[in-house]
Amino acid sequence: LYVTSFVADLFDGWAARKWNQCSDFGGLLDMITDRCSTAGLLHVLSFEYSHLSFYRVMFLGLMILDLSSHWCQMYASTKLQLHHKSTSAN
């Protein structure tokens, strides 16, 4: 399921750029769906390895790191009025 989400996201971004359908709202939705997919994967993995408390804490930490780092990056690029995938925003 995660691989399907990744492939669909790849195709969606390619199609939007090819037919000049890019928008700030689309970029925001792309980032939100990516974060939801990653959070879902880490949530499932934390339950698969629930008998090992170290892994549950590690997956929770990775989820927090993923969400917070992308929020900071999106916030900074919004304040600078740059697209979050541009080289100057990174």
Side-chain angles (χ1 to χ4, degrees):
L1 188 59
Y2 186 75
V3 173
T4 303
S5 173
F6 174 75
V7 171
D9 182 46
L10 182 68
F11 176 74
D12 175 52
W14 173 81
R17 286 185 294 278
K18 179 175 171 70
W19 288 300
N20 199 24
Q21 297 292 313
C22 297
S23 68
D24 291 336
F25 184 66
L28 178 65
L29 283 179
D30 181 61
M31 194 234 1
I32 290 171
T33 56
D34 289 348
R35 300 298 58 83
C36 289
S37 296
T38 302
L41 174 66
L42 292 170
H43 185 73
V44 167
L45 287 174
S46 72
F47 278 99
E48 285 294 318
Y49 294 98
S50 61
H51 60 283
L52 301 169
S53 60
F54 170 75
Y55 284 113
R56 286 196 72 145
V57 172
M58 182 183 71
F59 291 133
L60 176 62
L62 288 172
M63 192 181 312
I64 291 169
L65 176 65
D66 183 57
L67 292 171
S68 62
S69 65
H70 282 86
W71 181 84
C72 289
Q73 198 267 341
M74 181 61 79
Y75 180 78
S77 63
T78 302
K79 284 294 183 184
L80 295 173
Q81 296 180 344
L82 298 170
H83 193 271
H84 73 282
K85 290 190 178 180
S86 68
T87 56
S88 55
N90 292 320

